[in-house]
Amino acid sequence: MYVVKLVSFDLWDTLIFDEGMEPESYTLKRLEAIWKSIPSDKKPGFNNVLEAYRVVKHVKGFIKPEDFVKAILLVLGLDIGGQVIRQAIDAYEEASGSYTPRVDPDARDVLKTLKENGLKTMIVSDTSFSGTSVKKMLSNIGLSEYVDLVITSADTGFSKPDPRIFKVGLEKLGVNPWETIHVGDSCSRDVIGALLTGLRPVLLARRIESVENCRKTGVSVISRLKELMGLIGFKL
């Protein structure tokens, strides 16, 4: 049984889900927001915005959202002033924060129980969303009050399994690695990242290949989020 002060969670495919399409519905919503913010005399066709997105999409989880928006505008060849850039960035962020994803059925009860028992909670995510947008999104689905801190690759420039992304959160919350559990669905990102940082990983077995790949690490495996409570010693 673990004695912990902090439980860290992956975001996508652990607490929430997207539609698994490319581009995702939230991406289309954000790109449409950028497109609408461009002045009419310089506005390209929306398909041009989609093409610009495809050119730079591989970096969207590794640079700040405002730089990603600027990258799209640069690929479009738009020579626009600072105010218009700011409008495009604000529109992108607003569209991000208004997204309502599908939620794991256990997520709210698990997070609520952890908070009621005095544990801190954190999200560490490889995502193109800023931490501010993730918090707004969590508010949309009724989870924000149970999460103390959100750390994203877009904000930090680090992605899992790089220990630096975990350490940013640990330092902000004042918790040691050995006092922390990290829960996620990926062997390479979540389990290995947690082990490299000195956290205790728990693998949420969404895919059999993740379980097989991490079998030799000795990681604790759960098939549903609510099973985490048994590892920590709480009851839902």
Side-chain angles (χ1 to χ4, degrees):
M1 186 178 298
Y2 296 149
V3 177
V4 296
K5 293 183 179 179
L6 168 65
V7 181
S8 169
F9 292 90
D10 172 51
L11 183 62
W12 299 102
D13 294 333
T14 297
L15 296 177
I16 63 174
F17 306 90
D18 62 29
E19 298 80 5
M21 300 171 65
E22 175 56 38
E24 307 91 343
S25 64
Y26 62 79
T27 297
L28 287 172
K29 190 174 184 179
R30 295 192 291 184
L31 293 177
E32 185 177 8
I34 294 173
W35 178 66
K36 287 181 176 178
S37 75
I38 299 171
S40 57
D41 62 327
K42 299 182 185 228
K43 193 186 297 289
F46 184 65
N47 283 338
N48 296 103
V49 177
L50 280 175
E51 287 304 315
Y53 161 76
R54 293 188 178 107
V55 171
V56 298
K57 69 176 184 178
H58 62 286
V59 300
K60 70 177 181 178
F62 305 99
I63 60 176
K64 293 184 182 298
E66 55 263 38
D67 289 331
F68 185 65
V69 174
K70 290 176 185 177
I72 290 174
L73 298 177
L74 286 169
V75 172
L76 287 169
L78 294 177
D79 182 18
I80 51 182
Q83 182 179 355
V84 176
I85 291 174
R86 187 69 257 169
Q87 289 172 348
I89 292 168
D90 290 345
Y92 180 88
E93 284 283 89
E94 184 176 347
S96 301
S98 64
Y99 178 62
T100 302
R102 185 163 56 92
V103 188
D104 183 280
D106 296 336
R108 186 179 186 278
D109 287 341
V110 167
L111 289 168
K112 184 173 183 287
T113 300
L114 292 172
K115 294 302 297 177
E116 288 175 344
N117 284 273
L119 274 70
K120 295 179 179 179
T121 57
M122 172 174 72
I123 288 174
V124 179
S125 177
D126 292 346
T127 183
S128 59
F129 286 71
S130 68
T132 299
S133 292
V134 171
K135 289 173 186 174
K136 290 178 180 177
M137 184 172 61
L138 293 175
S139 180
N140 298 340
I141 55 178
L143 298 183
S144 62
E145 63 183 298
Y146 308 118
V147 176
D148 293 303
L149 182 65
V150 175
I151 303 296
T152 73
S153 58
D155 282 341
T156 63
F158 308 132
S159 61
K160 296 177 290 185
D162 190 327
R164 288 176 291 181
I165 191 169
F166 293 98
K167 289 177 179 178
V168 169
L170 294 175
E171 290 172 4
K172 287 188 175 184
L173 291 174
V175 180
N176 294 309
W178 57 88
E179 299 170 322
T180 305
I181 290 175
H182 178 71
V183 184
D185 67 298
S186 168
C187 174
S188 60
R189 295 177 182 269
D190 294 302
V191 172
I192 300 303
L195 290 172
L196 287 172
T197 316
L199 281 58
R200 292 179 279 194
V202 174
L203 177 64
L204 179 57
R206 301 288 193 201
R207 296 174 294 276
I208 188 63
E209 60 267 26
S210 292
V211 179
E212 286 299 313
N213 290 341
C214 268
R215 180 171 50 86
K216 293 182 180 180
T217 67
V219 64
S220 297
V221 179
I222 57 176
S223 59
R224 289 192 58 174
L225 273 175
K226 67 179 183 180
E227 295 173 15
L228 176 66
M229 300 295 93
L231 291 178
I232 302 176
F234 298 156
K235 292 182 180 180
L236 284 178

